[in-house]
Amino acid sequence: MDKKYKNKTFSIIVPVYIPHNIFIIDCIESIKKQTCHDFECVLVVPATQKNDFLDLGLALNENFKILYSKNSDPASNRNLGINSTSGEYIIFIDSDDKINNHYLEICKQDIINYSPSLIAMNHTRVESELLSTDVTKIQTKYYEDKESVKNIFFSSYYRTKKVTNILMGSCWAKAFKRSLINCYSIKFDEGNFCGEDSMFVLDFGIFCESILLHENFFSYFYRRNPYSVTSDFFGQFFDVNLLCAHLDQINKQMHFNDEIFEFSKNNILSEKVNRVINYIVENRLSIFKGLKLLKNTYGKESYVYNTFKIDKRFIANKYVLQRRYIMLFFAIVKQKIKRLFHF
Protein backbone atom coordinates (compact mmCIF):
# COMPACT_ATOMS: atom_id res chain seq x y z
CA MET A 1 0.00 0.00 0.00
CA ASP A 2 1.40 3.42 -1.02
CA LYS A 3 2.10 5.88 1.82
CA LYS A 4 -0.33 8.42 0.40
CA TYR A 5 -3.23 5.95 0.87
CA LYS A 6 -2.41 5.08 4.49
CA ASN A 7 -4.54 6.29 7.41
CA LYS A 8 -7.58 7.09 5.27
CA THR A 9 -10.97 6.66 6.94
CA PHE A 10 -12.64 5.22 3.83
CA SER A 11 -11.67 2.73 1.17
CA ILE A 12 -14.07 2.91 -1.78
CA ILE A 13 -14.02 -0.18 -4.01
CA VAL A 14 -15.52 0.01 -7.50
CA PRO A 15 -15.46 -3.19 -9.61
CA VAL A 16 -15.45 -1.85 -13.17
CA TYR A 17 -17.16 -3.55 -16.10
CA ILE A 18 -16.42 -1.61 -19.29
CA PRO A 19 -18.44 -2.97 -22.26
CA HIS A 20 -21.62 -0.89 -22.77
CA ASN A 21 -21.08 0.88 -19.41
CA ILE A 22 -22.63 4.23 -20.20
CA PHE A 23 -22.62 5.40 -16.58
CA ILE A 24 -19.05 4.87 -15.35
CA ILE A 25 -17.97 8.50 -15.87
CA ASP A 26 -20.98 9.71 -13.80
CA CYS A 27 -20.05 7.21 -11.09
CA ILE A 28 -16.45 8.45 -10.80
CA GLU A 29 -17.51 12.11 -10.97
CA SER A 30 -19.88 11.58 -8.02
CA ILE A 31 -16.97 10.16 -5.98
CA LYS A 32 -14.73 13.10 -6.94
CA LYS A 33 -17.44 15.57 -5.80
CA GLN A 34 -17.51 14.27 -2.21
CA THR A 35 -17.49 17.02 0.43
CA CYS A 36 -15.21 14.76 2.53
CA HIS A 37 -11.86 13.91 0.91
CA ASP A 38 -10.66 11.42 3.54
CA PHE A 39 -10.80 8.44 1.19
CA GLU A 40 -8.93 6.22 -1.22
CA CYS A 41 -10.81 4.83 -4.21
CA VAL A 42 -9.72 1.67 -6.00
CA LEU A 43 -11.08 0.95 -9.47
CA VAL A 44 -10.72 -2.78 -10.13
CA VAL A 45 -10.63 -3.37 -13.89
CA PRO A 46 -10.48 -6.79 -15.60
CA ALA A 47 -7.09 -6.97 -17.35
CA THR A 48 -8.82 -8.00 -20.59
CA GLN A 49 -10.61 -4.62 -20.59
CA LYS A 50 -7.51 -2.49 -19.89
CA ASN A 51 -7.45 -0.83 -23.33
CA ASP A 52 -11.20 -0.10 -23.21
CA PHE A 53 -10.72 1.48 -19.79
CA LEU A 54 -7.81 3.66 -20.93
CA ASP A 55 -9.86 4.77 -23.95
CA LEU A 56 -12.35 6.40 -21.56
CA GLY A 57 -9.68 9.04 -20.78
CA LEU A 58 -10.82 9.48 -17.17
CA ALA A 59 -9.26 12.38 -15.25
CA LEU A 60 -8.44 10.84 -11.86
CA ASN A 61 -6.91 12.68 -8.91
CA GLU A 62 -4.53 11.38 -6.23
CA ASN A 63 -7.36 9.72 -4.26
CA PHE A 64 -7.82 7.16 -7.04
CA LYS A 65 -5.87 4.04 -7.87
CA ILE A 66 -6.37 1.50 -10.68
CA LEU A 67 -5.94 -2.24 -10.19
CA TYR A 68 -5.99 -4.64 -13.14
CA SER A 69 -7.46 -8.01 -12.25
CA LYS A 70 -7.23 -11.37 -14.00
CA ASN A 71 -10.89 -11.97 -13.02
CA SER A 72 -14.08 -10.46 -14.40
CA ASP A 73 -16.61 -11.39 -11.71
CA PRO A 74 -17.52 -8.65 -9.17
CA ALA A 75 -16.97 -10.97 -6.16
CA SER A 76 -13.30 -11.66 -7.02
CA ASN A 77 -12.67 -8.00 -7.80
CA ARG A 78 -14.26 -6.77 -4.58
CA ASN A 79 -12.08 -9.23 -2.62
CA LEU A 80 -9.02 -7.91 -4.46
CA GLY A 81 -10.10 -4.38 -3.54
CA ILE A 82 -10.45 -5.31 0.14
CA ASN A 83 -6.97 -6.87 0.20
CA SER A 84 -5.38 -3.90 -1.61
CA THR A 85 -6.72 -1.11 0.59
CA SER A 86 -6.32 -0.01 4.21
CA GLY A 87 -9.15 2.41 5.10
CA GLU A 88 -10.92 2.03 8.45
CA TYR A 89 -14.28 1.55 6.69
CA ILE A 90 -14.99 -0.12 3.35
CA ILE A 91 -17.60 1.17 0.89
CA PHE A 92 -18.66 -0.67 -2.28
CA ILE A 93 -20.04 1.16 -5.30
CA ASP A 94 -21.16 -0.42 -8.58
CA SER A 95 -19.76 1.35 -11.64
CA ASP A 96 -23.31 1.85 -13.03
CA ASP A 97 -24.37 3.95 -10.03
CA LYS A 98 -23.58 7.25 -8.31
CA ILE A 99 -23.58 8.57 -4.74
CA ASN A 100 -24.80 11.65 -2.90
CA ASN A 101 -22.14 14.38 -2.57
CA HIS A 102 -22.47 14.19 1.24
CA TYR A 103 -22.20 10.39 1.51
CA LEU A 104 -18.73 10.31 3.11
CA GLU A 105 -19.32 13.45 5.16
CA ILE A 106 -22.35 11.84 6.87
CA CYS A 107 -20.45 8.56 7.42
CA LYS A 108 -17.47 10.43 8.91
CA GLN A 109 -19.74 12.18 11.41
CA ASP A 110 -21.36 8.83 12.30
CA ILE A 111 -17.93 7.32 12.98
CA ILE A 112 -16.96 10.24 15.24
CA ASN A 113 -20.24 9.98 17.19
CA TYR A 114 -20.78 6.20 17.34
CA SER A 115 -17.99 4.19 15.64
CA PRO A 116 -20.53 1.54 14.48
CA SER A 117 -19.70 -1.80 12.86
CA LEU A 118 -22.02 -0.96 9.97
CA ILE A 119 -23.53 2.23 8.56
CA ALA A 120 -26.51 1.59 6.28
CA MET A 121 -28.34 4.22 4.25
CA ASN A 122 -31.28 4.37 1.89
CA HIS A 123 -31.06 4.28 -1.91
CA THR A 124 -33.23 5.55 -4.72
CA ARG A 125 -33.87 4.99 -8.43
CA VAL A 126 -34.96 8.63 -8.84
CA GLU A 127 -31.97 10.92 -9.37
CA SER A 128 -33.78 14.07 -8.16
CA GLU A 129 -34.22 12.47 -4.71
CA LEU A 130 -30.47 11.91 -4.49
CA LEU A 131 -29.76 15.56 -5.33
CA SER A 132 -32.50 17.13 -3.19
CA THR A 133 -31.84 15.28 0.10
CA ASP A 134 -31.66 17.73 3.02
CA VAL A 135 -28.68 16.54 5.10
CA THR A 136 -29.81 18.67 8.07
CA LYS A 137 -32.93 16.49 8.50
CA ILE A 138 -31.38 13.04 8.51
CA GLN A 139 -32.96 10.62 10.98
CA THR A 140 -30.66 8.20 12.78
CA LYS A 141 -31.37 4.86 14.45
CA TYR A 142 -28.56 3.20 16.39
CA TYR A 143 -28.55 -0.43 17.54
CA GLU A 144 -25.66 -1.40 19.80
CA ASP A 145 -26.70 -4.41 21.92
CA LYS A 146 -26.08 -7.81 20.37
CA GLU A 147 -29.69 -9.02 20.65
CA SER A 148 -31.05 -5.99 18.76
CA VAL A 149 -28.39 -6.31 16.07
CA LYS A 150 -29.10 -10.03 15.64
CA ASN A 151 -32.85 -9.44 15.48
CA ILE A 152 -32.73 -6.61 12.96
CA PHE A 153 -30.31 -8.51 10.72
CA PHE A 154 -31.90 -11.92 10.72
CA SER A 155 -35.54 -11.61 11.75
CA SER A 156 -38.20 -9.89 9.65
CA TYR A 157 -40.37 -9.82 12.79
CA TYR A 158 -38.22 -6.99 14.12
CA ARG A 159 -37.84 -4.72 11.12
CA THR A 160 -40.02 -2.71 8.76
CA LYS A 161 -40.08 -3.23 5.00
CA LYS A 162 -38.02 -0.04 4.59
CA VAL A 163 -35.30 -1.33 6.93
CA THR A 164 -35.30 -4.67 5.07
CA ASN A 165 -34.73 -2.81 1.78
CA ILE A 166 -31.87 -0.79 3.30
CA LEU A 167 -30.14 -3.60 5.15
CA MET A 168 -30.58 -6.74 3.07
CA GLY A 169 -29.73 -7.77 -0.44
CA SER A 170 -26.81 -5.63 -1.55
CA CYS A 171 -23.43 -4.44 -0.31
CA TRP A 172 -23.78 -0.88 -1.65
CA ALA A 173 -25.19 2.12 0.31
CA LYS A 174 -23.27 0.84 3.34
CA ALA A 175 -19.95 1.32 5.15
CA PHE A 176 -18.41 -1.82 6.71
CA LYS A 177 -15.87 -1.70 9.52
CA ARG A 178 -12.66 -3.26 8.19
CA SER A 179 -11.51 -4.65 11.55
CA LEU A 180 -14.46 -7.10 11.59
CA ILE A 181 -13.90 -8.15 7.96
CA ASN A 182 -10.22 -8.83 8.69
CA CYS A 183 -10.79 -10.48 12.08
CA TYR A 184 -13.35 -13.00 10.78
CA SER A 185 -12.02 -13.34 7.21
CA ILE A 186 -15.32 -12.25 5.66
CA LYS A 187 -15.16 -12.28 1.87
CA PHE A 188 -17.31 -12.51 -1.24
CA ASP A 189 -18.07 -15.92 -2.72
CA GLU A 190 -15.92 -15.84 -5.86
CA GLY A 191 -17.34 -17.11 -9.14
CA ASN A 192 -20.91 -16.08 -8.24
CA PHE A 193 -22.31 -13.31 -10.44
CA CYS A 194 -25.64 -12.99 -8.60
CA GLY A 195 -26.34 -13.15 -4.86
CA GLU A 196 -22.71 -12.87 -3.77
CA ASP A 197 -23.37 -9.49 -2.10
CA SER A 198 -26.43 -10.86 -0.21
CA MET A 199 -24.25 -13.60 1.27
CA PHE A 200 -21.47 -11.13 2.15
CA VAL A 201 -23.93 -8.88 4.05
CA LEU A 202 -25.41 -11.89 5.89
CA ASP A 203 -21.92 -13.15 6.83
CA PHE A 204 -21.02 -9.70 8.14
CA GLY A 205 -24.27 -9.70 10.15
CA ILE A 206 -23.12 -12.74 12.14
CA PHE A 207 -20.23 -10.75 13.66
CA CYS A 208 -21.73 -7.25 13.50
CA GLU A 209 -21.67 -5.52 16.91
CA SER A 210 -23.61 -2.32 16.14
CA ILE A 211 -25.65 -0.82 13.29
CA LEU A 212 -26.42 2.77 12.44
CA LEU A 213 -29.35 3.28 10.04
CA HIS A 214 -30.33 6.38 8.06
CA GLU A 215 -33.80 5.56 6.72
CA ASN A 216 -34.53 8.92 5.11
CA PHE A 217 -31.10 9.72 3.63
CA PHE A 218 -30.87 8.80 -0.07
CA SER A 219 -27.13 8.24 -0.26
CA TYR A 220 -27.07 6.02 -3.32
CA PHE A 221 -28.59 6.28 -6.80
CA TYR A 222 -29.12 2.79 -8.22
CA ARG A 223 -29.41 2.59 -11.99
CA ARG A 224 -30.62 -0.30 -14.09
CA ASN A 225 -28.03 -0.87 -16.80
CA PRO A 226 -29.44 -3.32 -19.39
CA TYR A 227 -25.87 -4.41 -20.23
CA SER A 228 -24.58 -4.95 -16.68
CA VAL A 229 -23.14 -8.25 -15.44
CA THR A 230 -26.27 -9.14 -13.45
CA SER A 231 -28.96 -7.69 -15.74
CA ASP A 232 -29.59 -10.97 -17.56
CA PHE A 233 -31.03 -12.78 -14.56
CA PHE A 234 -31.46 -16.16 -16.22
CA GLY A 235 -28.25 -15.73 -18.22
CA GLN A 236 -26.40 -15.93 -14.89
CA PHE A 237 -28.63 -18.72 -13.42
CA PHE A 238 -28.56 -17.40 -9.86
CA ASP A 239 -28.78 -20.40 -7.55
CA VAL A 240 -31.41 -19.58 -4.92
CA ASN A 241 -30.78 -23.03 -3.43
CA LEU A 242 -27.22 -21.88 -2.68
CA LEU A 243 -28.60 -18.90 -0.77
CA CYS A 244 -30.98 -21.25 1.11
CA ALA A 245 -28.04 -23.44 2.15
CA HIS A 246 -26.08 -20.36 3.21
CA LEU A 247 -28.96 -19.13 5.37
CA ASP A 248 -29.30 -22.57 7.00
CA GLN A 249 -25.59 -22.52 7.78
CA ILE A 250 -25.99 -19.11 9.46
CA ASN A 251 -28.91 -20.47 11.49
CA LYS A 252 -26.69 -23.24 12.89
CA GLN A 253 -24.14 -20.64 14.00
CA MET A 254 -26.65 -18.18 15.47
CA HIS A 255 -29.11 -20.69 17.08
CA PHE A 256 -32.30 -18.87 16.12
CA ASN A 257 -35.84 -19.79 17.05
CA ASP A 258 -36.84 -22.08 14.13
CA GLU A 259 -40.19 -20.42 13.48
CA ILE A 260 -38.71 -16.90 13.41
CA PHE A 261 -35.81 -17.99 11.21
CA GLU A 262 -38.03 -19.71 8.64
CA PHE A 263 -40.18 -16.59 8.45
CA SER A 264 -37.07 -14.44 7.87
CA LYS A 265 -35.57 -16.85 5.37
CA ASN A 266 -38.73 -16.82 3.28
CA ASN A 267 -38.81 -13.01 3.47
CA ILE A 268 -35.23 -12.72 2.13
CA LEU A 269 -35.80 -15.30 -0.59
CA SER A 270 -39.16 -13.90 -1.71
CA GLU A 271 -37.39 -10.89 -3.25
CA LYS A 272 -35.25 -13.26 -5.36
CA VAL A 273 -38.31 -15.29 -6.38
CA ASN A 274 -40.17 -12.11 -7.36
CA ARG A 275 -37.35 -11.28 -9.75
CA VAL A 276 -37.79 -14.68 -11.38
CA ILE A 277 -41.56 -14.19 -11.65
CA ASN A 278 -41.13 -10.72 -13.14
CA TYR A 279 -38.66 -12.06 -15.71
CA ILE A 280 -41.13 -14.72 -16.82
CA VAL A 281 -44.05 -12.28 -17.00
CA GLU A 282 -42.07 -9.51 -18.76
CA ASN A 283 -40.82 -11.97 -21.38
CA ARG A 284 -44.37 -13.27 -21.86
CA LEU A 285 -43.48 -16.90 -21.30
CA SER A 286 -46.45 -19.20 -20.78
CA ILE A 287 -47.02 -20.66 -17.31
CA PHE A 288 -45.99 -24.06 -18.69
CA LYS A 289 -42.80 -22.66 -20.28
CA GLY A 290 -42.02 -20.71 -17.09
CA LEU A 291 -42.32 -23.85 -14.94
CA LYS A 292 -40.24 -25.87 -17.40
CA LEU A 293 -37.53 -23.22 -17.41
CA LEU A 294 -37.43 -23.10 -13.60
CA LYS A 295 -37.43 -26.89 -13.32
CA ASN A 296 -34.52 -27.21 -15.77
CA THR A 297 -32.58 -24.36 -14.15
CA TYR A 298 -33.10 -25.00 -10.43
CA GLY A 299 -34.43 -28.58 -10.18
CA LYS A 300 -37.82 -30.00 -9.22
CA GLU A 301 -37.18 -29.78 -5.47
CA SER A 302 -35.93 -26.17 -5.51
CA TYR A 303 -37.45 -23.33 -3.49
CA VAL A 304 -38.02 -21.21 -6.61
CA TYR A 305 -39.75 -23.94 -8.62
CA ASN A 306 -42.14 -24.85 -5.81
CA THR A 307 -42.92 -21.24 -4.92
CA PHE A 308 -43.70 -20.53 -8.57
CA LYS A 309 -46.03 -23.55 -8.68
CA ILE A 310 -47.89 -22.28 -5.61
CA ASP A 311 -48.15 -18.73 -6.99
CA LYS A 312 -49.15 -19.60 -10.55
CA ARG A 313 -52.73 -18.31 -10.10
CA PHE A 314 -51.30 -14.92 -9.08
CA ILE A 315 -48.96 -15.00 -12.09
CA ALA A 316 -51.82 -15.96 -14.42
CA ASN A 317 -53.77 -12.91 -13.17
CA LYS A 318 -50.72 -10.77 -13.86
CA TYR A 319 -50.72 -12.07 -17.46
CA VAL A 320 -54.42 -11.26 -17.92
CA LEU A 321 -53.90 -7.74 -16.57
CA GLN A 322 -50.92 -7.19 -18.90
CA ARG A 323 -52.89 -8.48 -21.89
CA ARG A 324 -55.76 -6.08 -21.11
CA TYR A 325 -53.38 -3.11 -21.03
CA ILE A 326 -51.83 -4.19 -24.36
CA MET A 327 -55.29 -4.59 -25.98
CA LEU A 328 -56.36 -1.17 -24.66
CA PHE A 329 -53.15 0.41 -26.02
CA PHE A 330 -53.70 -1.03 -29.51
CA ALA A 331 -57.36 0.05 -29.47
CA ILE A 332 -56.31 3.66 -28.74
CA VAL A 333 -53.61 3.57 -31.44
CA LYS A 334 -56.12 2.19 -33.96
CA GLN A 335 -58.57 5.02 -33.20
CA LYS A 336 -55.83 7.65 -33.62
CA ILE A 337 -54.80 6.20 -37.00
CA LYS A 338 -58.45 6.21 -38.15
CA ARG A 339 -58.82 9.87 -37.19
CA LEU A 340 -55.53 10.83 -38.83
CA PHE A 341 -56.22 9.17 -42.18
CA HIS A 342 -60.05 9.62 -42.12
CA PHE A 343 -61.11 6.03 -42.65
Side-chain angles (χ1 to χ4, degrees):
M1 179 57 58
D2 296 343
K3 284 183 180 178
K4 66 178 177 180
Y5 294 114
K6 282 187 176 178
N7 305 317
K8 296 286 186 184
T9 301
F10 302 105
S11 292
I12 300 174
I13 298 166
V14 184
V16 176
Y17 182 70
I18 303 295
H20 308 293
N21 193 329
I22 53 178
F23 302 126
I24 186 169
I25 295 173
D26 278 356
C27 172
I28 290 168
E29 285 301 313
S30 75
I31 298 169
K32 285 165 69 175
K33 287 177 182 175
Q34 289 302 296
T35 52
C36 168
H37 303 288
D38 185 12
F39 72 90
E40 58 174 328
C41 179
V42 173
L43 306 174
V44 189
V45 182
T48 54
Q49 298 173 20
K50 182 177 178 178
N51 291 335
D52 294 326
F53 180 76
L54 293 173
D55 287 345
L56 293 171
L58 299 171
L60 302 175
N61 60 34
E62 61 181 12
N63 292 82
F64 290 81
K65 184 171 77 168
I66 302 164
L67 288 177
Y68 293 107
S69 165
K70 63 181 180 181
N71 301 301
S72 60
D73 63 293
S76 299
N77 291 339
R78 287 190 189 115
N79 285 338
L80 178 61
I82 292 169
N83 295 332
S84 307
T85 54
S86 61
E88 187 185 350
Y89 282 79
I90 298 172
I91 291 170
F92 301 102
I93 302 174
D94 285 354
S95 60
D96 307 313
D97 305 332
K98 60 194 290 188
I99 56 174
N100 189 296
N101 293 353
H102 301 280
Y103 189 121
L104 299 185
E105 179 191 336
I106 299 301
C107 287
K108 185 79 180 274
Q109 198 56 51
D110 291 338
I111 293 163
I112 293 167
N113 294 338
Y114 302 97
S115 188
S117 302
L118 176 69
I119 302 167
M121 303 179 182
N122 212 335
H123 64 277
T124 179
R125 295 190 182 197
V126 183
E127 190 168 10
S128 59
E129 287 184 340
L130 183 82
L131 300 172
S132 63
T133 302
D134 187 347
V135 295
T136 63
K137 296 179 180 178
I138 294 173
Q139 296 167 5
T140 301
K141 287 184 181 177
Y142 184 52
Y143 304 87
E144 57 180 330
D145 64 283
K146 276 224 163 179
E147 197 60 30
S148 296
V149 170
K150 186 175 86 168
N151 286 338
I152 199 166
F153 242 111
F154 296 105
S155 177
S156 303
Y157 279 141
Y158 296 95
R159 61 173 186 255
T160 63
K161 188 176 179 182
K162 186 188 276 189
V163 171
T164 300
N165 289 337
I166 294 170
L167 203 55
M168 308 308 296
S170 18
C171 60
W172 38 255
K174 297 175 180 67
F176 300 88
K177 201 167 194 175
R178 180 186 292 276
S179 58
L180 285 178
I181 290 173
N182 290 347
C183 181
Y184 298 103
S185 302
I186 304 166
K187 61 181 183 178
F188 290 88
D189 186 17
E190 298 188 3
N192 261 347
F193 281 81
C194 283
E196 81 291 341
D197 48 352
S198 299
M199 289 189 271
F200 179 87
V201 173
L202 288 167
D203 285 344
F204 188 88
I206 296 170
F207 307 106
C208 187
E209 295 166 353
S210 56
I211 303 172
L212 194 140
L213 289 177
H214 292 303
E215 291 185 38
N216 71 326
F217 177 47
F218 294 110
S219 68
Y220 196 95
F221 175 43
Y222 169 75
R223 283 191 279 206
R224 179 83 173 155
N225 181 354
Y227 302 106
S228 71
V229 174
T230 56
S231 63
D232 182 1
F233 190 77
F234 271 96
Q236 300 300 338
F237 294 121
F238 170 56
D239 189 354
V240 176
N241 294 321
L242 184 66
L243 186 55
C244 280
H246 200 77
L247 288 164
D248 288 332
Q249 194 177 0
I250 288 170
N251 189 26
K252 285 175 186 174
Q253 285 180 264
M254 302 295 283
H255 307 293
F256 291 109
N257 171 295
D258 286 342
E259 185 186 341
I260 289 178
F261 184 74
E262 281 303 312
F263 180 83
S264 286
K265 182 169 126 177
N266 292 342
N267 189 275
I268 292 167
L269 292 171
S270 66
E271 186 241 333
K272 305 295 180 191
V273 175
N274 280 336
R275 285 183 67 187
V276 176
I277 290 169
N278 286 336
Y279 178 91
I280 289 167
V281 171
E282 284 166 14
N283 287 275
R284 293 180 177 80
L285 301 179
S286 69
I287 300 297
F288 173 74
K289 280 186 180 175
L291 278 169
K292 191 176 177 183
L293 178 60
L294 290 170
K295 187 171 150 187
N296 293 340
T297 305
Y298 299 113
K300 199 173 179 179
E301 303 304 316
S302 71
Y303 181 91
V304 179
Y305 176 73
N306 286 296
T307 304
F308 188 83
K309 270 181 80 176
I310 293 163
D311 288 348
K312 64 184 176 184
R313 185 179 294 173
F314 159 75
I315 295 159
N317 289 338
K318 212 168 179 182
Y319 271 106
V320 171
L321 191 64
Q322 261 201 352
R323 190 189 253 166
R324 281 177 187 162
Y325 277 122
I326 291 164
M327 287 171 71
L328 180 63
F329 171 78
F330 279 114
I332 292 167
V333 169
K334 198 174 174 182
Q335 285 299 318
K336 284 192 173 183
I337 289 169
K338 276 185 176 181
R339 276 196 221 106
L340 194 63
F341 294 102
H342 308 291
F343 68 90

